[in-house]
Amino acid sequence: MTASKSKVVDIHTHMYPPEYISILTSRQNIPLVRNFGDNSKDPRLILLEAEVPSLQLALQVPSAPIPGRPLTSHYASLGQKIHFMDTHKIDISVLSLANPWLDFLTPEEASGPLPATINNDFERMCQLHPGRLYFFATLPLTALSTQVILDSITSSKGLKHCRGVIMGTSGLGKGLDDPNLVPVFKALAEAELPVFLHPHNGLPNSVYGPQQKDYGHVLPLALGFPMETTIAVVRMYLAGVFDAVPGLRMILAHSGGTLPFLAGRIESCVLHDGALLKKFKEEKRRSVWDVLKEQVYLDAVVYSEVGLKAAIAASGEKGEERLMFGTDHPFFPPLETDEQGEWESVGLNAQAVRKALGEGSKEADMAMGGNAFRVLKLFEK
Ligand code: URA
Ligand code: ZN
């Protein structure tokens, strides 16, 4: 990690509090936690649609490969999070519940006490380590009414260490371009709570083809996740959400999926669609490039300087001021070295920042923490 003057901040780092794990353990459908007896030391965490075929096989055939990922202490233990931060010289972490957040709750459950319990638990964890931990709250998006969601924004804003909300791409069930979601975005803008947008659904399993079981998690995680984010943000853009809510700030996971690489193509497709072009001109819509440099921040969880350079370039003349380092802990643990030591995944992202912005440079320093510190106001108020 860089010998930086400003603090190193990890804005992409997840946890599942113990009460969330117990809900997963009681469930029959994904997301769920299952024990596979002697076949696996740890219980398995099965989250993704792409993992369902291997779950079904493992439940029928005891010798089949075990599905999902080991649910190690890294997912729920605060002590483990602090140890991970210390090991990697991370000064501050902005914690978030991992996918799929509360999106699977019934409307009744989402309207009950559970969402506040989870958010309060994150606040409690932050209070145990003053100055080191902040968090993105989770919204009860499947609640019985929008008012429940708006109330949750108000109570989250009241939590001392809350610095935004984490959200998937489902919205109220119809995606983030749903007009019914605009009041939620307006409330978040009003409360100055940025949205950390994170994928969960990937692409339909059929896209991955008949041999997908031989390809592990590569297709859903390396490609499905980034495409999901890209499509969600472009739908928001096409629906005019960014113009309708100019105060909305979004931090996009995985450097915006493929948005930096595809922004030109998106822009060109708009320019070459007669009806859209007319509408955009009448409504004086800003370009994708403008939205990227005015309302969007990108995390640096892209594992190579090639993607990171695209992310910086797409974010405008001062693109290096819109980039924020992240680790995605506790996902992607090392497979060949001790999990209590340094993680290769963290090293790859830190190295990408150094290579893209220059070892020891002011810009690298900002991406490693200065930007997050400034934008998310990571100091005790
Ligand atoms: N896999 C997930 O399900 N979520 C992450 O954040 C990373 C990997
Ligand atoms: Zn993540």
Side-chain angles (χ1 to χ4, degrees), residues 101-103 105 110 115 119 137-143 148-154 156 164-167 181 184 188 193 195:
W101 315 283
L102 305 173
D103 292 1
L105 296 185
N119 288 331
T138 314
L139 298 179
L141 290 170
T142 59
V148 175
I149 306 171
L150 298 178
D151 290 346
S152 170
I153 294 173
T154 308
S156 296
V165 299
I166 185 164
M167 198 185 273
L181 201 57
V184 173
L188 289 165
L193 292 176
V195 174

Side-chain angles (χ1 to χ4, degrees), residues 145-210:
S145 71
T146 307
Q147 191 55 48
V148 175
I149 306 171
L150 298 178
D151 290 346
S152 170
I153 294 173
T154 308
S155 35
S156 296
K157 176 73 184 171
L159 297 175
K160 194 174 168 209
H161 296 90
C162 175
R163 292 295 186 272
V165 299
I166 185 164
M167 198 185 273
T169 63
S170 304
L172 306 174
K174 295 182 182 166
L176 303 184
D177 52 353
D178 181 353
N180 292 326
L181 201 57
V182 170
V184 173
F185 287 136
K186 283 193 170 155
L188 289 165
E190 182 76 12
E192 295 183 27
L193 292 176
V195 174
F196 177 32
L197 180 66
H198 192 292
H200 169 68
N201 300 308
L203 295 170
N205 270 359
S206 57
V207 170
Y208 305 133

Side-chain angles (χ1 to χ4, degrees), residues 14 47-48 99 198 221 225 328 331-332:
H14 305 292
L47 299 172
L48 310 176
N99 52 296
H198 192 292
L221 288 186
F225 265 32
D328 220 352
F331 294 96
F332 305 111

Side-chain angles (χ1 to χ4, degrees), residues 4-116:
S4 66
K5 283 175 264 37
S6 58
K7 292 183 187 295
V8 173
V9 180
D10 180 1
I11 65 121
H12 189 151
T13 181
H14 305 292
M15 283 188 78
Y16 292 118
E19 59 268 49
Y20 191 91
I21 301 271
S22 37
I23 295 170
L24 298 191
T25 308
S26 69
R27 286 175 56 82
Q28 301 302 317
N29 300 314
I30 56 162
L32 57 80
V33 168
R34 270 289 164 288
N35 264 301
F36 285 85
D38 293 344
N39 288 344
S40 168
K41 176 167 71 72
D42 298 300
R44 304 293 287 191
L45 175 61
I46 297 138
L47 299 172
L48 310 176
E49 193 69 41
E51 292 163 353
V52 170
S54 57
L55 169 65
Q56 285 165 344
L57 187 67
L59 291 174
Q60 284 157 16
V61 183
S63 59
I66 37 173
R69 55 200 69 58
L71 179 63
T72 62
S73 60
H74 285 266
Y75 285 85
S77 154
L78 184 61
Q80 194 65 262
K81 180 68 78 184
I82 297 291
H83 171 78
F84 172 85
M85 289 169 64
D86 291 343
T87 305
H88 296 93
K89 301 191 172 47
I90 293 165
D91 299 292
I92 302 176
S93 285
V94 186
L95 307 173
S96 52
L97 187 65
N99 52 296
W101 315 283
L102 305 173
D103 292 1
F104 57 89
L105 296 185
T106 64
E108 290 72 23
E109 288 167 336
S111 309
L114 183 68

